[in-house]
Amino acid sequence: MNPSVEQVHGAVQTLTQSSDTLFLLLGAIMVFLMHAGFAFLEVGTVRHKNQVNALVKILADFGVSAIAYFFIGYWVAYGGTFFADAETLSSGNGYELVKFFFLLTFAAAIPAIVSGGIAERARFYPILLATFFTVGLVYPLFEGMIWNGNFGLQAWLEATFGAGFHDFAGSVVVHGVGGWIALVAVIFLGMRRGRVRAGKHTNFAPSNIPFLALGAWILSVGWFGFNVMSAQTLEGISGLVAMNSLMAMVGGILAALFVGKNDPGFIHNGPLAGLVAVCAGSDLMHPIGALITGSVAGALFVWVFTYLQNKTKIDDVLGVWPLHGLCGAWGGVAAGIFGQTALGGLGGVSFAAQVVGTIIGIAVALIGAAIVYGVLDKITGLRLSEEDEFKGADLAIHKISATNED
């Protein structure tokens, strides 16, 4: 007996749903693994007395992010909730549940980004409260505007400029927003004690270059899940996204190598700068455009981070504002440049819309962060005491050091 057309169609549909679910689950796992990269990048950069705190912060932030996004953030961004029975939630092979997991790993990148900027002098629980509100409200507000069409922003941009704001994998939505939130947090916390001596800036050397490098490698590998699997279905997967991610990464490496004068910290952050910048237009650009985008980002990171550390009171420990905030903003604009057909891109993008959308993302991040960190600073305080900062966050907060030297 031959199967009916309906049976064949149903079998194909089930197979497609299962494949898409598995595809997105693998993407979610890859991006989740990137949080280990954030952790080790911070561990290798901070001083020994703050290494345990760096590890604990990233994991604790992820836990708080999951609760905030599950109960509030996902509803703010997409109008979806999980207040239904398990049978209903798991329909379609549970694709929507895996999609939530994937998007959660993006949302949780916000506090992971912030963590690197505020390292070595932030109190523990007030920062976890800030994580709850930034992931539950601030980030999903802009996420929903761009990726779900909330508040009519995309419709307005399309009507005004001929195209909406294009951000395929989150140069602005994730990295830009996270970086500009971090800038506000860094300003509220102020400089680490001992950074200015006799009127001159003193830079603390990274504590462990191999850990720093390990973090950069984990992030770079996971980023291909971050970018490529943003298609969210097997049908939408694009080799162009993978190629552009590769070329932007290479551009960032080489630019940081030469502009950073062989400094290992800059070299290992170079690929991350390039990958941040290419997220937005990775599905549109020609690979040469991606190479240029990544190269500009790598150089931009080195120049701005060097200036901040030596000339200003903005004490951004890992350089997360130049890396994610500025390079993310550059990526939003770059999509409007190198996505044009005249420069070998696929088109369908407006330079003006990219600039306006990027500015709106920055504004949401700055205003939201100012409210969250400003209120918490007034109510609980954000900074460790002078004694605890001198002792180090490991002993002051967690009562244990990274290594047993006895």
Side-chain angles (χ1 to χ4, degrees), residues 327-406:
C327 291
W330 157 240
V333 174
I337 299 172
F338 297 106
Q340 304 289 344
T341 55
L343 293 176
L346 298 182
V349 65
S350 162
F351 175 74
Q354 294 303 114
V355 172
V356 172
T358 299
I359 292 172
I360 292 173
I362 292 171
V364 169
L366 290 176
I367 294 169
I371 294 171
V372 170
Y373 287 98
V375 170
L376 287 172
D377 190 41
K378 292 292 184 183
I379 295 175
T380 69
L382 296 172
R383 183 156 181 163
L384 290 172
S385 68
E386 185 173 356
E387 180 182 353
D388 284 345
E389 186 178 342
F390 176 78
K391 185 165 44 175
D394 293 358
L395 292 177
I397 298 172
H398 310 289
K399 314 303 180 187
I400 192 169
S401 61
T403 56
N404 185 356
E405 298 178 354
D406 295 334

Side-chain angles (χ1 to χ4, degrees), residues 5-25:
V5 174
E6 290 79 8
Q7 288 175 316
V8 172
H9 177 74
V12 171
Q13 188 176 33
T14 299
L15 179 61
T16 301
Q17 288 176 340
S18 300
S19 300
D20 288 342
T21 301
L22 178 60
F23 171 75
L24 198 56
L25 176 60

